[in-house]
Amino acid sequence: MDRMERFEDMPLDERTLSSLKKKGFYKPTEVQKEAIIPAIEGNDMVVQARTGSGKTLSFLIPIFERIEGGSGIEAIVLVPVRELAQQVETEARDIGRFHGISTVAVYGGTSIDNQIKKIRKSSIVVGTPGRVIDLMKRGALNLDGIKFFVLDEADRMLDMGFLDDIKWIMSRTPDKKQIMLYSATMPDDIVRLAERYMRRPIRLKLSEDSISAKGISQFYVRVGEMNKLAKLSALLENEPGKYLIFTRTKIGAQRVADNLRKSGYKAFALHGDMTQAARTRTMNEYKEGKIKILIATDVASRGIDVEGITHVINYDAPLFQKDYVHRIGRTGRLGKDGKAITFVTREEIPVLRKIEEYIEKKIPEMRIEKKGRIRERIDYREYADVFGMVTLRFSLKERVSRLEILKKMEKQGIQDEEVGRIDLGNGYAEVEVHYSRAHRASKAGFRDVQIVRRDSFERKSG
Ligand code: AMP
């Protein structure tokens, strides 16, 4: 089949073309080029594509080409989180305008009554599995007449434990329907899900480049846990932009936001412990650019689709490789340039290597020279060996004995047994202490102190 370079070259309804024009979209993205026509032709689809690829329109356009409107719910899109539901709804509303077809988003945390009212006037429902089930059990949502069943970000839905919910909903829909499954990654359980419900689906996998986020420069920064904030602040000063910062936990996100604010940065957190109203407000202000620094957890960030994110920072390295891809996909959307920077502590080096294997690409190190508003401290832990010992090198004017060194240490509250090897050389002494005592040891009253680097960060060959 000929490649369609412009939407106008595709056999699409005039109303669809008008709404695309109104949005300023003329050229289909890769996934749109590949998926729209087969989907309009009625095929089940399994598509590996990440957020940012234009995947949403690649399933919405076929839906609008094939449904009539005015006869109840004809299509359902299941998504993992509310923000994504809102986003898909927005895109559907734009495309549906000229068709006169309404879409409703349903998710928890807001009034169900309003959603019930809207369902009656809509043809497409976009929702999180929990709320969809709730509405179905109340008899407010009936899927007997659906023609399309879309699973968006399926991998994430399974990660969040929605498999049984999806099956429950699926079993209450007609046999004859078209299923479209979208997922950034294709683990076995997704493949099984597809095999169980689909009829000879068309499988699309976007090129590795688009999976590992083309247009995004990726770096890592070595930093001890203690200095992450200082490094982040240095980055914010060095490279002003629109930042999305990932932490592993909700508390972590809140803490980073609070600490940055204390230093005068306008930073806000986005996580699941916030009320829906607060999340929506924060999200909107971030979208509008009133907030330029947002700190989020993986779950809260799902489906964040914000223009102009210049930097994605993995403040905590992601636990799963695929989260890395999800996270950095938030920048450099549709080929615009963006930077993804991962903070890596010494313990996290293996995590970095796994990510590199997964994306089949080496991530170069980045050094941040300029200081930020937050002072860096020496993170002795970063220099410790596997036993937690750090070696300090003191310059000496005159020779001292081991005993004298131990005495000086004792004055700092460091016991003999907390001191390891002591090497006496010409004009210096190297003393091993536990990293938790290193700061005190460095104040033991010698002229000059250096940390002896054991560069375990270097790639070991072989
Ligand atoms: P998605 O991957 O569906 O989350 O889409 C990412 C972003 O790209 C959304 O803001 C879309 O509105 C936008 N987008 C989708 N398709 C196109 C297109 N063909 N041209 C320009 N922007 C698009």
Side-chain angles (χ1 to χ4, degrees):
M1 193 187 3
D2 246 344
R3 279 225 146 190
M4 323 242 172
E5 289 306 327
R6 286 144 42 94
F7 283 119
E8 283 185 351
D9 305 331
M10 296 178 145
L12 298 179
D13 190 297
E14 274 310 317
R15 292 166 294 186
T16 304
L17 290 173
S18 305
S19 52
L20 287 169
K21 207 181 264 174
K22 188 142 188 281
K23 280 174 85 74
F25 297 175
Y26 298 97
K27 289 168 80 173
T29 64
E30 193 182 346
V31 64
Q32 291 163 358
K33 274 186 210 163
E34 305 282 341
I36 290 176
I37 303 297
I40 291 178
E41 288 169 350
N43 293 290
D44 283 351
M45 310 284 298
V46 177
V47 183
Q48 182 165 358
R50 65 180 178 88
T51 312
S53 59
K55 67 186 168 73
T56 313
L57 286 180
S58 81
F59 60 76
L60 284 178
I61 290 174
I63 292 176
F64 280 104
E65 293 295 305
R66 298 288 303 274
I67 67 175
E68 308 289 330
S71 54
I73 298 298
E74 293 180 76
I76 181 157
V77 182
L78 288 183
V79 297
V81 291
R82 321 161 204 210
E83 279 80 8
L84 190 56
Q86 292 170 333
Q87 245 160 246
V88 174
E89 183 205 21
T90 307
E91 299 240 18
R93 204 189 305 135
D94 290 348
I95 302 298
R97 190 166 295 131
F98 295 117
H99 290 267
I101 288 176
S102 302
T103 301
V104 56
V106 300
Y107 44 81
T110 52
S111 153
I112 198 163
D113 293 335
N114 284 339
Q115 293 175 358
I116 291 173
K117 269 186 224 140
K118 276 200 195 159
I119 289 173
R120 296 199 194 110
K121 291 181 284 178
S122 300
S123 305
I124 303 173
V125 54
V126 185
T128 51
R131 180 53 69 99
V132 167
I133 290 180
D134 192 357
L135 286 160
M136 289 174 78
K137 284 188 174 160
R138 288 168 190 241
L141 176 61
N142 181 337
L143 300 181
D144 286 347
I146 63 159
K147 301 193 182 102
F148 287 93
F149 198 119
V150 181
L151 295 160
D152 192 12
E153 308 212 348
D155 51 354
R156 186 48 65 125
M157 285 202 279
L158 296 204
D159 283 352
M160 290 171 75
F162 284 140
L163 182 60
D164 288 339
D165 289 353
I166 293 171
K167 287 181 180 164
W168 191 94
I169 299 167
M170 192 71 90
S171 70
R172 283 155 183 82
T173 60
D175 281 343
K176 198 168 166 298
K177 62 178 177 292
Q178 191 175 334
I179 303 175
M180 296 191 262
L181 182 155
Y182 280 74
S183 195
T185 59
M186 285 292 161
D188 290 345
D189 43 5
I190 301 277
V191 175
R192 273 198 299 276
L193 189 72
E195 276 167 2
R196 171 159 175 190
Y197 293 104
M198 295 185 173
R199 282 158 303 162
R200 302 205 292 133
I202 295 207
R203 291 170 201 278
L204 296 179
K205 185 178 182 224
L206 295 192
S207 58
E208 201 56 39
D209 257 0
S210 40
I211 294 166
S212 63
K214 201 175 174 175
I216 300 174
S217 8
Q218 304 170 52
F219 300 96
Y220 78 89
V221 168
R222 359 172 341 179
V223 56
E225 203 57 51
M226 216 163 89
N227 282 318
K228 282 183 173 180
L229 210 58
K231 273 275 187 281
L232 180 57
S233 145
L235 208 52
L236 290 168
E237 304 293 324
N238 275 331
E239 302 185 6
K242 190 160 183 173
Y243 278 69
L244 179 59
I245 297 157
F246 285 97
T247 60
R248 211 168 281 151
T249 62
K250 298 180 233 179
I251 300 172
Q254 195 59 54
R255 198 182 299 138
V256 172
D258 291 346
N259 284 330
L260 284 176
R261 274 213 298 278
K262 268 186 218 152
S263 301
Y265 296 102
K266 200 172 171 208
F268 288 86
L270 186 78
H271 55 69
D273 284 351
M274 295 159 62
T275 61
Q276 182 55 35
R279 277 166 73 169
T280 305
R281 188 179 348 106
T282 305
M283 216 32 237
N284 285 341
E285 291 188 357
Y286 185 58
K287 274 190 179 160
E288 290 160 18
K290 287 183 193 153
I291 297 173
K292 287 216 163 65
I293 307 170
L294 188 69
I295 302 100
T297 54
D298 287 295
V299 172
S301 81
R302 282 311 281 163
I304 285 185
D305 172 24
V306 175
E307 286 285 302
I309 296 177
T310 59
H311 289 74
V312 167
I313 310 295
N314 293 313
Y315 190 87
D316 299 320
L319 282 181
F320 304 102
Q321 291 97 281
K322 61 183 170 189
D323 285 336
Y324 179 81
V325 178
H326 282 304
R327 286 176 175 192
I328 74 168
R330 307 282 172 252
T331 174
R333 303 177 73 81
L334 292 169
K336 282 177 215 125
D337 289 343
K339 240 186 207 178
I341 301 169
T342 303
F343 285 1
V344 182
T345 64
R346 229 175 46 160
E347 287 84 21
E348 284 167 343
I349 287 294
V351 178
L352 178 71
R353 298 289 171 249
K354 279 221 178 103
I355 292 171
E356 289 181 330
E357 260 168 47
Y358 186 75
I359 64 169
E360 296 175 7
K361 206 169 157 178
K362 280 247 177 285
I363 301 176
E365 183 174 357
M366 172 182 179
R367 291 186 191 275
I368 305 168
E369 304 299 345
K370 215 164 88 187
K371 300 261 178 293
R373 291 182 211 169
I374 299 167
R375 271 245 313 271
E376 271 194 49
R377 292 172 291 172
I378 301 169
D379 194 341
Y380 288 102
R381 195 173 173 168
E382 284 296 299
Y383 302 100
D385 65 13
V386 286
F387 305 106
M389 301 301 275
V390 175
T391 304
L392 298 178
R393 187 186 171 105
F394 300 104
S395 311
L396 305 173
K397 261 199 220 130
E398 51 215 38
R399 284 191 87 82
V400 289
S401 67
R402 256 163 241 278
L403 196 64
E404 282 170 296
I405 288 175
L406 287 174
K407 267 194 188 143
K408 285 201 188 238
M409 293 297 154
E410 208 183 320
K411 270 204 189 128
Q412 295 300 310
I414 301 167
Q415 306 304 315
D416 284 7
E417 58 271 20
E418 291 170 320
V419 179
R421 229 183 44 213
I422 298 178
D423 283 337
L424 296 174
N426 206 355
Y428 72 88
E430 283 188 1
V431 182
E432 224 183 29
V433 288
H434 190 259
Y435 72 83
S436 62
R437 301 285 180 270
H439 178 69
R440 271 192 260 159
S442 72
K443 303 248 176 287
F446 295 102
R447 246 189 350 155
D448 181 41
V449 194
Q450 279 177 325
I451 305 167
V452 179
R453 274 174 179 267
R454 306 187 189 289
D455 224 343
S456 47
F457 252 82
E458 293 307 314
R459 277 162 222 250
K460 299 223 163 55
S461 50

